[in-house]
Amino acid sequence: MQKGKINITLDKDLIDYAKTYAEQQRTSVSEIITQFLLNLKRTIESNPTEVILSDPDFRESLLQTISRIRSGKVKWFRYKEVF
């Protein structure tokens, strides 16, 4: 599969967290984002059995978050309120 580049802008704290998380998981930030998007795609296509996230806790958290968003049970916070 041919690869391409995408540029995204994130807050510095989130970038630092992503790098730390990737290092702890012995992977790359690119792979984390790839797996997140693949999981989102498969969930939307109703095929969550093929989710290939390396961290089962992250996968479970992600699926719970998607479920809460769909149900409307999410309370939104500003970035500064969270960090």
Side-chain angles (χ1 to χ4, degrees), residues 60-75:
E60 182 62 28
S61 175
L62 180 62
L63 292 175
Q64 286 176 5
T65 301
I66 290 170
S67 176
R68 288 176 56 217
I69 289 170
R70 286 182 177 162
S71 71
K73 295 180 179 179
V74 173
K75 180 179 179 188

Side-chain angles (χ1 to χ4, degrees), residues 21-78:
Y21 180 83
E23 184 178 336
Q24 291 171 347
Q25 298 300 313
R26 297 183 180 169
T27 190
S28 66
V29 173
S30 179
E31 183 62 19
I32 292 169
I33 293 170
T34 297
Q35 293 304 321
F36 174 81
L37 293 173
L38 284 172
N39 183 50
L40 185 61
K41 178 182 175 192
R42 289 184 178 120
T43 300
I44 289 171
E45 293 174 352
S46 298
N47 194 6
T49 58
E50 293 185 36
V51 176
I52 52 173
L53 295 172
S54 62
D55 183 344
D57 293 332
F58 179 77
R59 177 185 175 273
E60 182 62 28
S61 175
L62 180 62
L63 292 175
Q64 286 176 5
T65 301
I66 290 170
S67 176
R68 288 176 56 217
I69 289 170
R70 286 182 177 162
S71 71
K73 295 180 179 179
V74 173
K75 180 179 179 188
W76 296 97
F77 294 95
R78 293 190 172 134

